[in-house]
Amino acid sequence: MENVILIVHLLLALALIGVVLLQRSEGGGLGMGGGGGAMSQRAAATALGKITWGLAIAFIITSITLTVLAASDASGVSVMDRLSGSAPATETDGSAPAPLDTDGLLPPPSGGNDAGADAPMVPSAD
């Protein structure tokens, strides 16, 4: 189901891009064209304008639907619980989650070039 909605979403995005590119430019950038200022009359809705609105509404609906489906698939486990490899602590058993092993995330200690045979060679500025 999610894959079908995703394919429809991508097709809507491509159609929306195509319809927007087909529309006539009003001249000037960022909607500054057309003249008349704030007192200009609203132009009649063209067929391309109506199609653009329809595609945009359908695109937003598929976006919201995909968001809801992704949220319902989430199991309520946080990313930190997934990293630590332990199940989330429940309130009934009273146990705390295992602490994260952050030693692997830190850079090696700086001890110069004589820190040992396994230490990487560090270039020195001459």
Side-chain angles (χ1 to χ4, degrees), residues 108-109 111-122:
N113 288 339
D114 58 344
D118 294 335
M121 296 285 294
V122 178

Side-chain angles (χ1 to χ4, degrees), residues 42-85:
R42 183 174 174 196
T46 62
L48 281 176
K50 290 178 182 180
I51 292 172
T52 303
W53 272 103
L55 288 173
I57 290 170
F59 182 82
I60 291 170
I61 289 172
T62 56
S63 297
I64 293 172
T65 305
L66 286 170
T67 303
V68 169
L69 287 175
S72 68
D73 288 343
S75 62
V77 178
S78 74
V79 176
M80 296 304 289
D81 290 337
R82 290 181 187 173
L83 288 177
S84 66

Side-chain angles (χ1 to χ4, degrees), residues 3-45:
N3 288 336
V4 172
I5 296 173
L6 184 61
I7 291 171
V8 170
H9 186 71
L10 293 175
L11 291 175
L12 283 170
L14 292 175
L16 190 58
I17 291 170
V19 169
V20 167
L21 289 176
L22 286 175
Q23 291 182 7
R24 182 175 63 92
S25 173
E26 295 292 327
L30 300 174
M32 290 184 227
M39 298 302 291
S40 67
Q41 293 181 355
R42 183 174 174 196

